[in-house]
Amino acid sequence: MKKNIIIVLLILAAVFIYFRQENKNYYDMVNAVSGATPLAIAKDVPKGVSLVIDGLVKQEYRFSASALNGFASTRIRTREFTPDGKFLGAYAYTGIPVFNILEGIAPQKDKDALFNQPLDILVRFISSSGKSVGFTFTELIMADDSLPVTLAFYREEIKPTADSVKDTYDKNIFNGLLAGLRLIAPSEPDVSRYLDDVVKITYTTLPAPDNLLPIRKKAKCVSTAITCIDGGNRYQAAFENIPRIEKKEWVLIGHGHGYEDKVDSEGFELRAFLKANFKEITPDDYFLFVACDGYRCLFSWHEIFAVEKGKEIMIADSVNGKLPETGYRLAPTADFFNDRSMWGVAYVVKINGKLN
């Protein structure tokens, strides 16, 4: 019996040594930093937290805390300000990037929808109190994931380490544990689209004019002018005195078809174009772009005007030194996927999407 116990112990020791050696770099790195498990791995979604996803989806989803723990999490630091510039603190959040969840949620519009793709869908995040904020489906899925919009479930203050101030530092307004899921948008300059205690995500659409073009797949058409629609007003867009920008070696990768090309594009800065053609623009506004073949794509004010990469969006009239055969091209050159790169832009519609 004693001999058998010794053999078992030797086998267990051998397994441990093998596992330890196979993962030596990982353990050595972790121990060199803190001697502990990385913080983004150590945290779990608190019990009792849940999330519903409904609206224009193939099926409704209900995620419990244990189900949410199945998604890959990340740890992100934020510097938070109110829209009027008041500092709210610096924090480190552990949470789930929203695209980790939404990439597995299949959108489905009504059968009689004029446009059957999700590129004009609005994603509403709703709190337990009924307050909500909106993001476009495309800015969550297509644009960029370097500083992802995240549903955080753990927050800790970032404090100075100097002995002279660390015990009396009071610049962080928030302290204590989160009460549920906090939506954070780390790439944005303020917390206007942050939301506490998120319990639901709803896919919906914004009201657009009824007489826009329906989608005509593979239709050949050319846009020689752009019509702007602002409420009941329709007028031809002006391009005079709008600054021009360029993007060298713009990499085109389609969400559905993969790598396509690398091109040089030049055109009119979208920010300046919108300011010149619409009298009043607010953070509650969204812009729906419609191509001459009916293709649609929705952009939020925030992704155009608030974040740095909004400066790189243009209405291109030159691709590799030539006028595109289909006319004006919408070119969000900072996007990861180029699905929002629209050929033959025919309409730009301003829609107020205030949710609360």
Side-chain angles (χ1 to χ4, degrees):
M1 177 64 72
K2 185 176 181 180
K3 183 178 180 180
N4 290 340
I5 292 175
I6 293 173
I7 292 173
V8 170
L9 292 174
L10 288 173
I11 292 173
L12 291 174
V15 170
F16 174 79
I17 292 171
Y18 174 80
F19 183 84
R20 173 64 174 80
Q21 188 61 33
E22 285 293 300
N23 296 275
K24 183 176 185 298
N25 291 339
Y26 170 79
Y27 283 118
D28 287 349
M29 179 273 292
V30 171
N31 289 331
V33 176
S34 65
T37 304
L39 293 176
I41 298 175
K43 308 303 179 186
D44 286 327
V45 177
K47 293 181 179 180
V49 170
S50 63
L51 180 68
V52 174
I53 302 178
D54 63 9
L56 299 176
V57 293
K58 287 188 176 180
Q59 69 176 72
E60 182 177 301
Y61 289 83
R62 293 180 178 271
F63 296 104
S64 64
S66 59
L68 291 170
N69 277 324
F71 290 99
S73 61
T74 188
R75 188 169 183 262
I76 298 178
R77 292 175 294 188
T78 63
R79 294 169 292 193
E80 299 179 21
F81 292 85
T82 63
D84 60 1
K86 179 184 177 182
F87 184 61
L88 298 175
Y91 307 94
Y93 289 94
T94 300
I96 306 166
V98 168
F99 65 78
N100 284 1
I101 301 174
L102 298 191
E103 280 196 321
I105 306 298
Q108 180 170 283
K109 293 186 178 180
D110 297 333
K111 291 182 179 180
D112 59 350
L114 291 177
F115 186 58
N116 60 7
Q117 299 187 38
L119 284 82
D120 64 341
I121 279 180
L122 177 71
V123 180
R124 294 181 60 199
F125 294 83
I126 305 169
S127 74
S128 59
S129 66
K131 186 177 180 181
S132 62
V133 296
F135 287 77
T136 68
F137 177 84
T138 49
E139 68 180 310
L140 296 171
I141 299 296
M142 301 292 178
D144 183 29
D145 56 10
S146 58
L147 284 172
V149 176
T150 296
L151 285 171
F153 51 82
Y154 182 82
R155 175 178 60 203
E156 57 187 314
E157 298 179 59
I158 296 177
K159 292 185 175 183
T161 58
D163 291 337
S164 59
V165 294
K166 66 181 181 181
D167 293 330
T168 58
Y169 186 78
D170 61 357
K171 302 299 183 182
N172 294 330
I173 304 301
F174 307 121
N175 52 58
L177 298 176
L178 291 176
L181 299 172
R182 176 172 168 83
L183 184 73
I184 63 172
S187 67
E188 300 190 2
D190 60 54
V191 298
S192 57
R193 289 204 289 182
Y194 285 43
L195 183 64
D196 283 318
D197 200 16
V198 173
V199 295
K200 181 187 287 190
I201 298 174
T202 297
Y203 283 23
T204 186
T205 55
L206 289 170
D210 294 331
N211 53 351
L212 295 178
L213 299 169
I215 188 170
R216 298 176 295 153
K217 292 184 178 180
K218 298 183 179 180
K220 293 183 179 180
C221 60
V222 180
S223 172
T224 57
I226 296 177
T227 299
C228 294
I229 301 178
D230 188 356
N233 300 317
R234 289 178 174 236
Y235 46 91
Q236 186 169 317
F239 288 90
E240 291 81 7
N241 301 318
I242 296 177
R244 294 180 66 83
I245 57 176
E246 63 179 3
K247 175 70 173 183
K248 297 292 186 181
E249 297 190 335
W250 174 26
V251 178
L252 305 178
I253 298 178
H255 187 263
H257 297 283
Y259 176 72
E260 299 174 16
D261 203 354
K262 186 186 290 185
V263 300
D264 295 336
S265 291
E266 184 179 341
F268 301 95
E269 182 191 59
L270 182 61
R271 287 181 175 181
F273 170 86
L274 295 175
K275 288 178 180 178
N277 283 285
F278 293 94
K279 290 183 178 179
E280 183 180 357
I281 297 174
T282 74
D284 292 321
D285 289 329
Y286 293 81
F287 296 91
L288 180 67
F289 295 83
V290 184
C292 55
D293 64 357
Y295 196 85
R296 298 185 178 196
C297 197
L298 187 69
F299 284 72
S300 71
W301 176 92
H302 293 269
E303 64 174 319
I304 297 173
F305 292 102
V307 300
E308 282 296 307
K309 291 186 177 181
K311 295 178 180 178
E312 301 180 46
I313 309 174
M314 71 176 81
I315 297 178
D317 59 359
S318 175
V319 178
N320 288 334
K322 298 180 180 180
L323 176 70
E325 293 182 358
T326 54
Y328 293 114
R329 180 178 187 176
L330 179 65
T333 60
D335 279 9
F336 183 87
F337 294 113
N338 70 302
D339 294 61
R340 300 199 291 179
S341 174
M342 176 185 294
W343 295 98
V345 179
Y347 295 94
V348 181
V349 186
K350 189 184 77 156
I351 305 172
N352 186 272
K354 190 172 183 178
L355 300 176
N356 297 109

